[in-house]
Amino acid sequence: MVADFDDLPPLPEAQIAVCALGTTRAKAGSDAAFRAVDRDAVLAFARAAQKAGVTHFILVSSVGANPNSSLLYPRTKGEVEVALAAMGFARLDILQPGLLIGPSGYRRAERRPVERFLQWAAPVMDLAVPRDLGSLPAETVAHAIVALTKHSKPGVFRHTNRAIAAFA
């Protein structure tokens, strides 16, 4: 079932919610469709989570997220981070990984030649870029999310590759 983010049913009561929702501009088909997923749907889910009593929200965003960027992807990610921080969750963890690497699984049917090349080239490229800008196994991000569910100190926390790897 595909969720209608404009009209989400009430979510079950919970203390923690995790959002790793996202797409690509190419997959979405337009800038507006991309923003409808990566911004609007993420924020709709966050509002629904807050109504369900969530006090700890965990978001998988991206390295380079910046609401003032001239580029669509980092600007959208940055706008979401700012909006979530303003929502007043007791704890907000924002993971900002670099390129996620790992088995493509559900993406096998999709043609993503640039992403496929970057994953192949990541070990060499990682030697030339700062650690927080390099690649990170998706499994490491998943382990960090689980670890972060055990943290309760209030505030807004941004975690780049180094911190994500340390949590994992």
Side-chain angles (χ1 to χ4, degrees):
M1 179 179 132
V2 175
D4 178 359
F5 285 96
D6 293 326
D7 188 28
L8 282 175
L11 299 178
E13 272 190 44
Q15 292 181 326
I16 302 171
V18 176
C19 183
L21 183 61
T23 189
T24 64
R25 164 60 178 80
K27 179 78 173 170
S30 70
D31 290 0
F34 168 79
R35 288 174 67 78
V37 173
D38 276 53
R39 184 192 63 194
D40 302 342
V42 169
L43 294 176
F45 173 67
R47 286 189 297 273
Q50 205 167 41
K51 285 181 187 173
V54 167
T55 57
H56 182 180
F57 197 86
I58 301 172
L59 173 73
V60 179
S61 182
S62 176
V63 67
N66 179 348
N68 300 314
S69 176
S70 61
L71 301 173
L72 176 68
Y73 187 85
R75 181 178 66 244
T76 302
K77 296 294 188 181
E79 290 169 356
V80 167
E81 290 184 13
V82 168
L84 287 174
M87 288 180 70
F89 287 100
R91 182 176 176 102
L92 172 62
D93 284 293
I94 300 170
L95 285 78
Q96 298 175 319
L99 174 70
L100 295 178
I101 56 173
S104 52
Y106 71 93
R107 292 182 178 170
R108 287 198 180 133
E110 292 183 39
R111 295 181 43 80
R112 291 185 167 193
V114 173
E115 183 176 309
R116 197 170 301 126
F117 170 77
L118 290 173
Q119 288 201 19
W120 174 81
V124 174
M125 292 185 329
D126 285 347
L127 297 173
V129 299
R131 174 72 180 113
D132 282 332
L133 300 178
S135 65
L136 195 65
E139 184 176 328
T140 300
V141 175
H143 288 295
I145 290 169
V146 171
L148 285 167
T149 65
K150 296 169 177 61
H151 290 253
S152 59
K153 179 181 176 186
V156 176
F157 303 91
R158 286 180 172 78
H159 313 285
T160 56
N161 280 0
R162 268 184 254 249
I164 293 168
F167 281 118

